[in-house]
Amino acid sequence: MVRAMVILNMEVLVPECEIIGNPVLPPESGVSISNSMRADQFNSAPGSTARSTLTTVTRSNENTPVIQRPMTGNPSNMIPRPSDNAQVFQPTVQPSYRPAPNYRNHGTIMKNDAPARIIPISALNPYQGRWAIKARVTAKGEIRRYHNTKGDGKVFSFDLLDSDGGEIRATCFNALVDRFYEAVEIGKVYVVSRGSLKPAKKDYNHLNSEWEIFLESQSTIELCPDENSSIPAMRFTFTSIDKIEDSENNAIVDVIGVVTSVNPSATIQRKNGMETQKRTITLKDMSGRSVEVTMWGDFCNREGLQLQEMVERGAFPVLAVKAGRVNDYSGKSVGTISSSQLLINSDLAEAHNLRQWFDCGGRDASSQSISRDFTPAASRNEIRKTVAQIKDDGLGMGDKPDWVTVKATVVFFKTDSFCYTACPNVIGDRQCSKKVTKSDSGNWLCDKCNQEFTECDYRYLLQLQIQDHTGTAWATAFQEPGEELLGCSARELYMFKENEDPRYTDVLLQGLYRQYLLRLKVKEETYGDERRVKNTVFKVERIDPSAESKFLLDHISRLTGSY
């Protein structure tokens, strides 16, 4: 029987020593010991304590080498030495890889605990027993809590970029969150070793690696304090706003533009019952398009508040968004995710170019929004109408709806029914949101999903009256426009009303007598035997004095034929 030994790592204990015993090779072997290893060199004094890593190699047949242990013992027991014409084979020993002292694992030495070799991220695969990568942290997500059949838990992830441009995400669960969350900082370089590799879920992971690292109890993350230049801080692949218009839903993009407006932050009830902050801003670039960017969570009170203060004092900053998710609901918009990064007035070449363009005329350049718009591409130019013109021009009476923008003030909210009970079930990446009713069991029943739920969601179905200098009209605002008008979620307002909280009245009063640009869908619908025109609010924007003045000047110019 032939046995083979595969040596993965070796360490030279004694570089030079006397040969122990008198090893020889069998006559049928095709390999002999080097002529420099004479038989008289194999003798050693009795009791010698020298240790050697010498191995002999024999060949059991023409193609199969066999590695044997060093031979010791009485020379009389040795096999006779081969002929002088045998093939010469001299084994070599490679030194083990030793990383710099800063990266060395100082923990307890375990089985096969020799230092792991640092490899590129692109070379990682699940079949490697031990590995280490050196990379910079480019993004770090918040700690998220979850509940499943195994109980409650928590998780966070961070993204890594190495000097070869390889990117990969690392994820920690439960005890490892406590161990690594504070240790990992964005922008710093670390050596990460040990952990399991699993296929990346591309619906949530935009990085260029097909794997994702799941850290384990034996994983290590060690800081490289002197590393500052060999690994880039962040990589961007910017998509211009007009190209986002053609992007698929849930695509991950990098986008850069000038911030032209910032809406106030609002509290939103998430699908899991947790509350979070939401804030929308508008970006425009040199492509002649603008897009809404929705900030979630800490982005609202961190970068969002900074952007709001800058815009309010007339400074329109350049914002670079790393890893935003495209949403195609009611047009195209971009939203932040846990791994997104926002850079304000960065030192990027693209940011400098946008700054120069905006300051040298781009500020006054017209742009068309790609967000929250159901109209076909050929009809995307905004049509400004007065309230009276909606009726006088017979809008909404055709086969297709008319889309117009009205500058109007909200003068009244119906308060008897401002929301409805909605299905909380998530299908794919969308919430069902159909109306649910109480069943005999006390649960909420959704006819569409054919399921019952112990809790329901609340969504706006807000009836409001708008007014401008020509007259008044009724309109309906659903979830997102309702949140923009009132500054809070439908669930929150419903709870204020149920608990007779004085904040209920305050919220409604704060939404009145404010002037907005309202994007309306105007369409005739049938209610029973009656046909009437319905105005639905799909977009709410605060009046930007500068942009509105420019619009009025352009309108005057078209009317008079001069400027």
Side-chain angles (χ1 to χ4, degrees):
M1 181 177 66
V2 177
R3 294 183 179 180
M5 178 186 298
V6 179
I7 301 176
L8 298 179
N9 202 352
M10 299 181 66
E11 181 177 357
V12 178
L13 300 178
V14 181
E16 295 182 3
C17 68
E18 296 181 355
I19 302 300
I20 302 175
N22 186 26
V24 294
L25 297 177
E28 66 274 12
S29 170
V31 180
S32 69
I33 299 176
S34 171
N35 291 334
S36 62
M37 300 180 183
R38 299 187 307 272
D40 56 358
Q41 291 178 315
F42 287 4
N43 298 323
S44 63
S48 172
T49 59
R51 299 176 61 193
S52 172
T53 57
L54 174 68
T55 60
T56 64
V57 179
T58 65
R59 195 176 294 272
S60 60
N61 55 47
E62 184 177 356
N63 298 316
T64 308
V66 179
I67 302 177
Q68 298 180 334
R69 296 179 179 274
M71 291 181 277
T72 60
N74 192 325
S76 62
N77 296 331
M78 299 301 167
I79 301 174
R81 120 179 11 179
S83 66
D84 294 338
N85 295 326
Q87 179 183 359
V88 174
F89 182 91
Q90 184 171 357
T92 59
V93 178
Q94 297 291 338
S96 63
Y97 173 79
R98 292 178 179 272
N102 285 339
Y103 312 147
R104 190 174 299 162
N105 185 356
H106 297 287
T108 304
I109 300 298
M110 301 180 67
K111 182 179 180 181
N112 192 25
D113 203 30
R117 183 184 299 274
I118 294 176
I119 63 174
I121 289 176
S122 59
L124 286 174
N125 66 74
Y127 308 106
Q128 293 164 317
R130 302 185 64 253
W131 49 262
I133 58 174
K134 183 170 74 170
R136 189 183 303 276
V137 176
T138 58
K140 175 183 173 182
E142 301 174 3
I143 296 177
R144 294 178 285 112
R145 308 208 174 252
Y146 62 88
H147 177 78
N148 55 27
T149 55
K150 297 181 180 179
D152 296 331
K154 54 186 176 180
V155 60
F156 93 98
S157 300
F158 56 96
D159 297 343
L160 295 163
L161 170 68
D162 69 7
S163 58
D164 293 333
E167 295 180 286
I168 196 167
R169 178 164 298 167
T171 300
C172 302
F173 287 90
N174 300 323
L176 295 179
V177 174
D178 300 329
R179 179 178 167 190
F180 290 131
Y181 187 77
E182 297 298 334
V184 172
E185 298 183 33
I186 295 176
K188 294 188 176 180
V189 177
Y190 300 86
V191 169
V192 180
S193 65
R194 296 182 183 271
S196 60
L197 291 168
K198 299 181 181 179
K201 296 181 179 179
K202 289 304 180 181
D203 289 343
Y204 307 97
N205 189 337
H206 62 282
L207 303 182
N208 59 19
S209 175
E210 60 179 313
W211 309 109
E212 182 171 344
I213 300 172
F214 286 81
L215 297 182
E216 301 170 338
S217 58
Q218 295 182 355
S219 299
T220 62
I221 301 177
E222 300 187 22
L223 177 66
C224 305
D226 300 329
E227 189 67 51
N228 56 10
S229 59
S230 64
I231 302 176
M234 194 175 296
R235 294 180 62 202
F236 287 94
T237 305
F238 288 117
T239 301
S240 61
I241 294 176
D242 62 330
K243 296 297 190 298
I244 294 176
E245 197 170 10
D246 301 323
S247 299
E248 296 182 358
N249 187 40
N250 290 326
I252 303 298
V253 297
D254 300 340
V255 61
I256 188 169
V258 180
V259 180
T260 58
S261 67
V262 180
N263 288 331
S265 181
T267 302
I268 301 298
Q269 189 88 19
R270 283 192 178 275
K271 298 167 186 176
N272 59 6
M274 303 291 289
E275 289 187 346
T276 188
Q277 295 294 308
K278 173 188 175 183
R279 185 194 292 270
T280 58
I281 67 173
T282 302
L283 292 183
K284 79 184 279 190
D285 67 4
M286 291 180 277
S287 69
R289 293 285 190 269
S290 63
V291 65
E292 282 190 358
V293 176
T294 303
M295 300 180 181
W296 297 95
D298 291 343
F299 288 115
C300 296
N301 296 324
R302 196 171 57 225
E303 291 88 350
L305 185 59
Q306 183 181 351
L307 291 172
Q308 182 179 7
E309 293 172 349
M310 297 175 75
V311 171
E312 287 178 350
R313 66 173 184 263
F316 297 93
V318 176
L319 178 68
V321 180
K322 172 69 174 176
R325 189 191 301 277
V326 175
N327 190 318
D328 66 357
Y329 177 73
S330 178
K332 292 291 176 66
S333 60
V334 177
T336 62
I337 56 178
S338 60
S339 58
S340 298
Q341 293 291 308
L342 305 182
L343 277 67
I344 301 173
N345 288 336
S346 64
D347 196 32
L348 299 169
E350 294 88 346
H352 291 301
N353 292 338
L354 270 172
R355 177 84 278 152
Q356 184 177 9
W357 165 78
F358 188 80
D359 293 341
C360 296
R363 178 193 303 263
D364 301 323
S366 62
S367 63
Q368 299 173 13
S369 175
I370 67 171
S371 301
R372 300 192 192 174
D373 199 340
F374 284 113
T375 58
S379 306
R380 281 189 179 141
N381 293 325
E382 289 196 4
I383 302 174
R384 184 75 69 90
K385 294 287 186 179
T386 64
V387 170
Q389 285 175 323
I390 295 176
K391 181 178 180 180
D392 296 343
D393 295 350
L395 300 181
M397 305 296 289
D399 294 335
K400 296 182 179 181
D402 289 305
W403 294 83
V404 296
T405 298
V406 175
K407 182 171 69 173
T409 302
V410 178
V411 296
F412 183 75
F413 291 114
K414 278 190 176 182
T415 58
D416 53 343
S417 178
F418 59 85
C419 66
Y420 70 95
T421 52
C423 176
N425 190 31
V426 178
I427 304 173
D429 63 336
R430 296 281 178 84
Q431 183 176 344
C432 172
S433 297
K434 294 297 183 182
K435 183 176 176 61
V436 293
T437 56
K438 273 284 183 81
S439 64
D440 295 338
S441 63
N443 294 329
W444 296 96
L445 174 64
C446 177
D447 292 332
K448 178 182 178 181
C449 300
N450 195 26
Q451 295 184 42
E452 291 190 5
F453 306 91
T454 56
E455 297 289 339
C456 69
D457 195 10
Y458 293 86
R459 296 181 68 85
Y460 276 118
L461 182 57
L462 191 61
Q463 304 294 325
L464 59 142
Q465 192 174 46
I466 60 175
Q467 178 179 348
D468 67 2
H469 63 284
T470 65
T472 61
W474 285 97
T476 301
F478 289 92
Q479 183 71 355
E480 292 190 358
E483 292 171 349
E484 295 288 350
L485 289 168
L486 295 178
C488 71
S489 67
R491 175 186 289 274
E492 187 175 9
L493 188 61
Y494 177 81
M495 293 304 173
F496 287 162
K497 182 179 180 181
E498 289 294 299
N499 298 328
E500 298 183 354
D501 192 317
R503 286 178 290 181
Y504 170 72
T505 303
D506 294 340
V507 169
L508 293 174
L509 290 177
Q510 289 174 7
L512 293 176
Y513 309 111
R514 289 185 176 181
Q515 197 173 49
Y516 301 96
L517 287 177
L518 303 174
R519 180 73 163 159
L520 301 180
K521 173 188 174 185
V522 184
K523 185 70 177 73
E524 185 182 45
E525 297 183 356
T526 301
Y527 297 87
D529 296 332
E530 181 184 358
R531 293 182 63 83
R532 60 185 180 185
V533 174
K534 180 180 179 181
N535 303 313
T536 305
V537 181
F538 274 90
K539 184 176 182 180
V540 177
E541 286 187 9
R542 294 283 185 90
I543 299 295
D544 179 0
S546 175
E548 185 65 15
S549 298
K550 178 64 169 60
F551 170 82
L552 294 175
L553 288 172
D554 290 344
H555 188 60
I556 293 171
S557 177
R558 288 194 297 271
L559 291 175
T560 62
S562 62
Y563 184 69

